[in-house]
Amino acid sequence: MTSRTHCFLALFSAAAMLAPGAMAQEYTFRLHHFLPAVSPTHTDTIEPWVERVEENSDGRVSIEIFPSMTLGGRPPELFSQVRDGVVDMIWVVNGYTPGLFPRTEVFELPNVFKNDPAASNLAMREMFESDLAEEYRGVEIMFLHVHAGNGLQMTDTAVNTPDDLLGKRLRTPSRTGAWVIEALGAAPVSMPVPDLPQALSRNVVDGALIPWEIGGPLRLAQQTEYQIEGEDKLRFGTTVFQLSMNQARWDSLPPDIQQAFRDASDEAWLQELGEVWRANDDRVNGEFIEAGNTHITLSPEETSVFVDAMEPVVERWVEDVSANGVDGAALVEKARTSIEQHSSGGT
């Protein structure tokens, strides 16, 4: 083989390395979260989003997902992990770090969130830059979303009025959830959702404020007898989640790679995400019923009693955040209007 041939082969190899297919995984990320890989969140939210980002980047981005806190720590530590650069990205419940996201809490409130997760997702996107962004210093938000809403899952208590909850101990995911529980006459017990099955089995709690969908992977049908919600799927508030990236890592990315992430997190995605969470909620509810559980839908009159009982939670939140310089009343009005405009019945 001549020296000219060697030179040609070397140039060909170098060119091949620069070809689009050879540029795969130019940017790699670790995404950490607290739920198992069999959970609907992992399979129907995080994995599809990761696939969209990787496809948008033409294979230049590779994201490895680490479920069940496999990179270490506890769920309440996830936000600090991403903010401090321990991991590149996280998916987590905002309420696991109480006090950090008071403005965003408006979307968790009962009688603000009612029954439409897609509308709330889009409303948070609409209000993000003007009202919420300052709460997320140190991270770049990929997207915020809510679940289908907190229902009551009880071990052995049928609930038709707030009086049925007097003295009961209920798991809460957040301080707004704790306020709902207190307003209904029960005692809140704060814990990450992976701890709930053990808490139920040990009678630490009598039930939980939680959506249906996570009950599948947590096997809650075996530990509860009743699932309760209001008419027209009305729920008792909801929970806000974030999927975010370390700010320094985000700032280091070129514009076209940043755009791959943005395009995967657009309005169409947030609409789809709300529909996916609602569908998963309905599916698992059916599994509960098949397992012999009783699903209670409150009558219009019973629902009205709960709505009235929970309105002081909104007033409590407004007073709390207003004491820290946030116009809570204005945020409630703005969130309600935006949700209504984005709802299936809105304009």
Side-chain angles (χ1 to χ4, degrees):
M1 187 179 293
T2 67
S3 59
R4 179 176 295 181
T5 302
H6 278 296
C7 182
F8 173 79
L9 289 175
L11 290 172
F12 178 83
S13 297
M17 291 177 65
L18 294 175
M23 295 177 67
Q25 302 184 8
E26 184 178 346
Y27 301 92
T28 60
F29 302 83
R30 298 188 303 170
L31 196 166
H32 201 198
H33 72 89
F34 61 91
L35 290 178
V38 296
S39 66
T41 295
H42 185 98
T43 59
D44 298 341
T45 295
I46 297 174
E47 283 187 336
W49 180 80
V50 164
E51 291 170 1
R52 290 174 189 230
V53 174
E54 292 176 342
E55 182 178 352
N56 291 347
S57 73
D58 294 325
R60 296 169 67 195
V61 168
S62 175
I63 303 171
E64 186 174 1
I65 306 170
F66 293 86
S68 300
M69 301 304 300
T70 47
L71 293 178
R74 296 275 295 157
E77 298 169 11
L78 279 167
F79 183 75
S80 63
Q81 286 184 359
V82 71
R83 183 190 57 201
D84 298 342
V86 176
V87 298
D88 302 303
M89 289 186 286
I90 52 105
W91 177 89
V92 73
V93 175
N94 272 15
Y96 285 178
T97 47
L100 290 186
F101 312 104
R103 293 167 178 82
T104 312
E105 282 179 336
V106 69
F107 289 96
E108 298 182 352
L109 295 173
N111 305 346
V112 173
F113 177 89
K114 296 179 180 179
N115 59 4
D116 192 335
S120 292
N121 294 348
L122 293 169
M124 284 191 289
R125 178 184 175 89
E126 180 180 35
M127 291 174 56
F128 185 79
E129 290 299 333
S130 60
D131 298 285
L132 311 179
E134 63 183 278
E135 299 188 334
Y136 298 92
R137 295 187 181 96
V139 301
E140 182 75 17
I141 291 296
M142 302 293 101
F143 58 91
L144 301 174
H145 74 96
V146 298
H147 58 47
N150 290 318
L152 290 167
Q153 301 204 39
M154 305 297 296
T155 55
D156 56 11
T157 303
V159 175
N160 293 93
T161 73
D163 286 347
D164 295 326
L165 291 169
L166 292 176
K168 299 297 183 182
R169 296 158 300 172
L170 302 179
R171 176 264 178 183
T172 177
S174 63
R175 72 168 189 160
T176 57
W179 293 351
V180 170
I181 291 168
E182 290 172 349
L184 298 178
V189 180
S190 180
M191 69 180 70
V193 75
D195 296 343
L196 180 57
Q198 186 177 53
L200 288 168
S201 66
R202 294 185 175 183
N203 297 317
V204 174
V205 293
D206 304 295
L209 198 63
I210 192 174
W212 316 144
E213 58 84 24
I214 192 60
L218 294 183
R219 302 181 183 275
L220 296 188
Q222 301 173 11
Q223 296 180 287
T224 62
E225 293 185 21
Y226 298 97
Q227 280 69 43
I228 302 101
E229 64 183 343
E231 67 166 332
D232 194 25
K233 299 185 184 295
L234 184 133
R235 300 294 175 85
F236 313 110
T238 190
T239 296
V240 173
F241 305 86
Q242 62 173 285
L243 200 155
S244 55
M245 182 187 296
N246 173 266
Q247 189 68 60
R249 185 72 202 276
W250 172 261
D251 292 341
S252 73
L253 301 176
D256 59 331
I257 295 299
Q258 290 182 344
Q259 195 62 45
F261 284 93
R262 290 195 177 104
D263 289 345
S265 313
D266 61 9
E267 290 186 6
W269 167 246
L270 293 176
Q271 175 72 40
E272 179 181 335
L273 202 55
E275 294 167 357
V276 164
W277 279 70
R278 167 61 70 201
N280 280 330
D281 222 50
D282 292 343
R283 174 182 56 79
V284 174
N285 181 50
E287 294 173 1
F288 278 125
I289 294 172
E290 289 180 5
N293 283 27
T294 299
H295 184 88
I296 297 175
T297 298
L298 302 174
S299 70
E301 294 77 18
E302 291 169 337
T303 300
S304 179
V305 172
F306 274 87
V307 168
D308 291 344
M310 293 187 297
E311 189 59 27
V313 175
V314 179
E315 298 164 4
R316 179 177 178 177
W317 179 84
V318 168
E319 181 178 352
D320 181 90
V321 299
S322 296
N324 293 307
V326 177
D327 190 343
L331 276 177
V332 167
E333 180 63 26
K334 192 171 183 179
R336 282 173 165 160
T337 298
S338 185
I339 289 171
E340 176 62 25
Q341 290 174 343
H342 287 291
S343 71
S344 57
T347 56

